[in-house]
Each structure stands twice: as structure tokens, then as C-alpha cells.
Amino acid sequence: EEQLLESGGGLAQPGGSLRLSCAGSGFTFSSNAMSWVRLVPGKGLEWVSTIFSGGSTYFADSVKGRFTISRDNFKNTLYLQMNSLRAEDTATYYCARQGGKGAIVYWHFDLWGRGTLVTVSS
Amino acid sequence: EIVLTQSPATMSLSPGERASLSCRASQSVGISLAWYQHKPGQAPRLLIYDTSIRATGIPTRFSGSGSGTDFTLTIGSLVPEDFAVYYCQQRSNWPPRVTFGQGTRLE
């Protein structure tokens, strides 16, 4: 069964850092572009970042320069390093797989995890 | 940045009824539009991509239509498990950016 499992959420202070992880199983993790999407309370889904299988990365303007996305294809794991956290980063963060394989990247998300909650508060 | 506006924000229907959810883009997105279903505490679920292609395992009562700036998700005959929040989503070509609509709650 194809699965994504996020971990690493919790409470952080404004200006602090957290690192989220997402473990993939049941599919060839290295072949797919992977993304982070967050559910902001009272607002809805918001795309955060994407990393292609070849390593190219893309970020939403709201997190650019503060967040870093990376992947370890040997461990089948996706990461999101979040620095300089703000109250507005409070959300449930989902790991999501993009359609396509290798150089063919589709910009829809065909497999999601259940999410990990990040709360930024003093 | 392309903005997606979903309407209505909330839709109240009963099982067996037909639901039509709207998603309007601030500029043309061609056919690159997807729909998702999300229930509290669960992973979001891809329903439709490229405007009208049902994702694997999605029942035939779900259908998508439209092009350019106006898109519709239709649920032919509601069953109890269809009551959830629905989001549309598009991507811009370059630089790659993804945007979601604000969601329609089907209750």
C-alpha cells in the first residue's frame, strides 16, 4: 500500500526552528516530485514547497528564504526545515506526492499523508 | 499570481441530491485544474485532474468540466461520505507556483 507519514510537528516559539519529515513507502520514492502543503486554520490549503526527483526546488513567496526542502532517496524521506518561524506558519503540514515520474512532473497531488501540526506561539 | 475563487463557500444538500461546485480563475489556466476532497483528520484525496480526468478509484458520480477560467465539480447523487470540504487547485507555468481555492464546505 502506498503511504506517506509525516512527523516532527509541535510547538515552536516565534523565530524558532522545526524540521518536518515525511516517510514514503509502497512506491518508488525517488521517481516522484514531492511537495509540502499546509492547511492554515480558517483559510484552507496553501502550497509551501516542491522538490523534483532531480533536486530542483521551488517555494511559495511566503516561506522563501526561511524554509528549505530536501530529500533522502535512500531513506525514502522528504524533509522541510523551517527557520525564523512566524505565528502565521501555524498550520497542519501535509506531505504530498506529485503525479508523473522522473522528468515528467504533473502539478497535481495524487497521494497525501495525514499531516503533522505545527504551532508557532510564545 | 492566479487567484482561484470557489463558490459557494458552504453548500447545504441532502443525500441523493446533485451538487455543483464552482471554481473561477482570475486568468486562464487552460485545463490544468484539479479537485480534492478533504475530511477533518484525514489526508486530502485527489478526485479530478486536468479538469475532467477521474483519479484512480474515484467513483463515477464525481465529474469535472470547464476550461479557461470557469470550472465545475459535479457530484451526481450525494452519499453520506461525500460531505466534506472540496478544493480546486491550479499551477502556473513559470516560475512553478501552485494555488488552491479557499474551499467549499458541503454539508
Side-chain angles (χ1 to χ4, degrees):
Chain A
E1 181 187 0
E2 298 177 330
Q3 282 190 345
L4 296 170
L5 183 62
E6 303 93 338
S7 60
L11 177 64
Q13 292 197 336
S17 297
L18 278 177
R19 188 174 86 151
L20 307 183
S21 299
C22 168
S25 60
F27 66 99
T28 306
F29 182 86
S30 60
S31 294
N32 287 87
M34 299 294 299
S35 292
W36 290 97
V37 177
R38 64 189 181 186
L39 179 62
V40 180
K43 288 192 175 182
L45 294 172
E46 179 183 43
W47 172 73
V48 174
S49 181
T50 291
I51 183 167
F52 283 10
S53 58
S56 299
T57 60
Y58 306 94
F59 296 91
D61 291 342
S62 59
V63 306
K64 195 178 297 182
R66 301 188 297 122
F67 290 10
T68 302
I69 190 171
S70 61
R71 63 193 299 161
D72 184 333
N73 290 332
F74 293 103
K75 295 183 178 179
N76 292 341
T77 302
L78 176 72
Y79 301 100
L80 185 68
Q81 178 67 43
M82 304 187 295
N83 298 330
S84 303
L85 283 163
R86 304 167 179 168
E88 54 264 36
D89 295 319
T90 294
T92 298
Y93 285 73
Y94 297 94
C95 167
R97 183 183 73 183
Q98 294 189 214
K101 299 286 184 188
I104 300 174
V105 178
Y106 298 134
W107 285 87
H108 55 263
F109 306 103
D110 63 2
L111 180 67
W112 298 67
R114 286 178 171 261
T116 187
L117 178 62
V118 171
T119 303
V120 183
S121 175
S122 55
Chain B
E1 176 183 315
I2 298 176
V3 176
L4 298 178
T5 302
Q6 292 186 242
S7 60
T10 304
M11 179 177 284
S12 298
L13 293 171
S14 299
E17 292 189 298
R18 179 186 182 94
S20 291
L21 287 65
S22 173
C23 177
R24 178 163 291 179
S26 59
Q27 57 186 278
S28 178
V29 299
I31 63 166
S32 297
L33 191 103
W35 291 92
Y36 301 85
Q37 178 191 67
H38 191 207
K39 299 178 183 179
Q42 296 188 19
R45 178 189 183 196
L46 175 67
L47 300 174
I48 301 284
Y49 63 95
D50 286 351
T51 296
S52 62
I53 302 174
R54 269 188 301 277
T56 302
I58 300 304
T60 56
R61 66 180 180 275
F62 291 92
S63 62
S65 62
S67 66
T69 60
D70 288 299
F71 299 86
T72 301
L73 173 70
T74 301
I75 310 173
S77 178
L78 290 165
V79 299
E81 58 262 34
D82 295 337
F83 292 89
V85 180
Y86 292 84
Y87 295 94
C88 58
Q89 173 251 317
Q90 69 83 35
R91 59 88 172 169
S92 58
N93 281 332
W94 194 262
R97 292 287 185 274
V98 172
T99 55
F100 291 88
Q102 81 280 16
T104 289
R105 179 178 302 278
L106 180 55
E107 62 177 29

